[in-house]
Every structure is written in structure tokens, then in C-alpha cells.
Amino acid sequence: MKNRTLIIGKQGKTGHRVEERLIAAGYETRAVSRSTTPSFDWLKPETWLDAMQGCTTAYVCFQPDLAVPGAQEAITEFVRQAKMAGIHHIVLLSGRGEEGAQKAEKILIDSGLYWNVVRASWFSQNFSEGFLIDGVLSGQIALPSGDIPEPFIDVDDIADVAFACLTEKRLINQVFEVTGPEAITLNDCARIIAKVTQRDIMFVPITAEQFISALSEQGLPDDVLWLMNELFTVVMDGRNSEPQDGVKKALGRPATSFYDYATKAFASGVWSLPTPEVENG
């Protein structure tokens, strides 16, 4: 059977990047989501086996996060079906400092399959492709835990590590804890983005309760609200502040700094403000 990589999360920040890297290198892929054919929906295990057919490796991003209740049961069932389908190597995206996520990791590690865990810190791209972009554009990033250092990771680095795990046998059966090269605070992030964009961007400290309430008003689902509450009331306590060398260990190069990420994001135009229309008198 020809090697084909199943990518769970075609539209995700990491999923589409992993797919691009594999295709560019000449590998066959099947990237799936709820809207693809075949479809893949984490809430509908009956969709999984069809999506897996003909694949020998898989990159797995669980939504919304491996830390949420029910993730361990889902990963157990995913592994069971993957074995039935003939998948022999799974690369799992995970999060740092999350007890539930590490329990889900162990299910894969103990599965008898070849495995990798890419355990990532906060994504830098949350500021340009995620829930913080509106704050950047408005000039006010309102969040709790503004003084807790975090070694933000560029998602391009995560995709490079995942690609390497999928394609280099020497990396199989290892955990790669991937972070940026330095720990900075959310307040620091706002200052760096302000410097790169040459705009006034302020960090506004709020309580976790205020933050969760604002997300709830936006209509975010309960599992995402649970995750955000867990993140800002439990995980963001400094436990993840120490940078790790997973990027260098896997790729032989240093991780991307937040400043370099911000420079790249700004150059892409994602933070460009709309030009005011000028009325002709």
C-alpha cells in the first residue's frame, strides 16, 4: 500500500500547514474535517474509519483541545479504529502543562503503534489567525494573566516538527516539547506587536471571569469556554514559563522568536487596517 498521511484538521492552524509541507515534498495526503468528503467529525466516531481508509500515517489535532473532558475516550477510540484501518504511525498535537492532555498522550504512547507527541506552548498565531486578532486590530488586547511569562511558539515551527516526525524514521517514538526561544508576557506581546506595526496597541488586564463572560456573549461553545477557563485559571500559573528545546532537537535549528513571528505576520498584511474611504465633494 502506498503511503498516505491522514491529516485531522484540514482548516486548522497546524493542519493546513502540515498538508502543504507534505504535498510540497511529494507525499500523498488526505486532509479531512467536518466539511470534507469523506468527512471527519470528532463528535461522530462513525465517520472516522471511512476517512482513515488507505492511510498509513496520521497527523492528529483534537478539537478543541486534548485537555477537555472526553478527549481521552475519543483518542482511545481513534487509536482502535486506526489499527483497524492499517495506520501504523500517529503524530499527535498536544498542549503543555495540561494534565488531561498528558493522559491522552499516554493512550497513544501505550498503543503499540509508532507515535510522536508534539507538545506545544501558546501559539503566536493566536494574535494573527485566532481569537486575539480583533484586539490587535482595535489596539486593545484585553486578557487575564498579563504578567505570566510564556514561550510563545510559531505555528510554522510546529508544522515543521510534525512534518519531520512524519517523514524521518530517526524521530519516531519521541515527545517533542516545542516552544519559542524566550518566555515573554502577554503584555510584552502587545508591546512587540506595537513596535512592529508602529501603532498604539495596549494590553488591558481583566479578570478570567470577565474574559469568559465576553466569550460567552460571543456565542462560543461550552467546551471552548471550559478550555479558556482552565487555561487562565489553572494552566497560566507559570508552570510553562521555561522554554524547551523541542524545535532544535527535531530540526537542528532554533525556534522562531515572537519578534520574528510578528514581523512576518505584519508583512503578510493580516494586521493592516482598512483605508478610510474618501468622499468626493
Side-chain angles (χ1 to χ4, degrees), residues 140-199:
Q140 289 195 339
I141 300 172
L143 285 171
S145 307
D147 57 351
I148 303 295
E150 171 76 15
F152 293 83
I153 179 77
D154 189 321
V155 172
D156 285 324
D157 286 350
I158 298 175
D160 285 345
V161 171
F163 171 79
C165 288
L166 288 163
T167 58
E168 298 183 35
K169 290 182 178 178
R170 67 182 179 87
L171 301 180
I172 283 175
N173 294 353
Q174 298 180 58
V175 176
F176 292 98
E177 194 152 351
V178 294
T179 75
E182 73 279 308
I184 60 176
T185 66
L186 291 164
N187 208 341
D188 294 330
C189 292
R191 285 198 293 268
I192 291 169
I193 294 172
K195 180 178 180 180
V196 167
T197 60
Q198 297 187 330
R199 289 176 42 220

Side-chain angles (χ1 to χ4, degrees), residues 116-233:
N116 286 100
V117 172
V118 182
R119 190 186 294 153
S121 58
W122 260 60
F123 295 178
S124 297
Q125 274 77 0
N126 284 330
F127 290 93
S128 53
E129 301 174 25
F131 69 104
L132 299 178
I133 187 170
D134 289 344
V136 174
L137 294 174
S138 71
Q140 289 195 339
I141 300 172
L143 285 171
S145 307
D147 57 351
I148 303 295
E150 171 76 15
F152 293 83
I153 179 77
D154 189 321
V155 172
D156 285 324
D157 286 350
I158 298 175
D160 285 345
V161 171
F163 171 79
C165 288
L166 288 163
T167 58
E168 298 183 35
K169 290 182 178 178
R170 67 182 179 87
L171 301 180
I172 283 175
N173 294 353
Q174 298 180 58
V175 176
F176 292 98
E177 194 152 351
V178 294
T179 75
E182 73 279 308
I184 60 176
T185 66
L186 291 164
N187 208 341
D188 294 330
C189 292
R191 285 198 293 268
I192 291 169
I193 294 172
K195 180 178 180 180
V196 167
T197 60
Q198 297 187 330
R199 289 176 42 220
D200 290 331
I201 298 174
M202 296 176 53
F203 179 84
V204 180
I206 59 175
T207 66
E209 291 76 12
Q210 289 172 317
F211 180 60
I212 300 304
S213 176
L215 293 180
S216 179
E217 290 175 5
Q218 294 174 28
L220 269 69
D222 289 344
D223 54 358
V224 174
L225 296 177
W226 182 94
L227 176 63
M228 288 298 177
N229 185 67
E230 180 81 357
L231 177 63
F232 283 106
T233 62

Side-chain angles (χ1 to χ4, degrees), residues 14-195:
T14 63
H16 79 86
R17 286 174 164 89
V18 172
E19 181 186 22
E20 287 172 355
R21 283 156 175 75
L22 287 167
I23 291 173
Y27 291 92
E28 286 197 15
T29 65
R30 178 182 295 146
V32 294
S33 68
R34 285 179 293 183
S35 60
T36 59
T37 303
S39 66
F40 184 97
D41 187 336
W42 280 112
L43 299 178
K44 297 178 180 179
E46 65 273 16
T47 67
W48 302 353
L49 197 57
D50 191 33
M52 293 175 178
Q53 295 302 318
C55 297
T56 56
T57 58
Y59 174 70
V60 178
C61 179
F62 181 81
Q63 291 295 329
D65 191 275
L66 281 179
V68 303
Q72 294 160 53
E73 292 79 5
I75 295 300
T76 298
E77 177 62 14
F78 183 89
V79 166
R80 186 187 74 81
Q81 292 194 31
K83 288 180 177 179
M84 292 173 56
I87 290 173
H88 60 77
H89 180 200
I90 294 175
V91 177
L92 179 66
L93 179 66
S94 186
R96 297 181 72 211
E98 299 173 343
E99 183 180 348
Q102 291 181 16
K103 289 179 179 177
E105 294 171 11
K106 192 171 189 309
I107 292 165
L108 173 60
I109 291 168
D110 293 343
S111 68
L113 297 171
Y114 293 122
W115 59 272
N116 286 100
V117 172
V118 182
R119 190 186 294 153
S121 58
W122 260 60
F123 295 178
S124 297
Q125 274 77 0
N126 284 330
F127 290 93
S128 53
E129 301 174 25
F131 69 104
L132 299 178
I133 187 170
D134 289 344
V136 174
L137 294 174
S138 71
Q140 289 195 339
I141 300 172
L143 285 171
S145 307
D147 57 351
I148 303 295
E150 171 76 15
F152 293 83
I153 179 77
D154 189 321
V155 172
D156 285 324
D157 286 350
I158 298 175
D160 285 345
V161 171
F163 171 79
C165 288
L166 288 163
T167 58
E168 298 183 35
K169 290 182 178 178
R170 67 182 179 87
L171 301 180
I172 283 175
N173 294 353
Q174 298 180 58
V175 176
F176 292 98
E177 194 152 351
V178 294
T179 75
E182 73 279 308
I184 60 176
T185 66
L186 291 164
N187 208 341
D188 294 330
C189 292
R191 285 198 293 268
I192 291 169
I193 294 172
K195 180 178 180 180

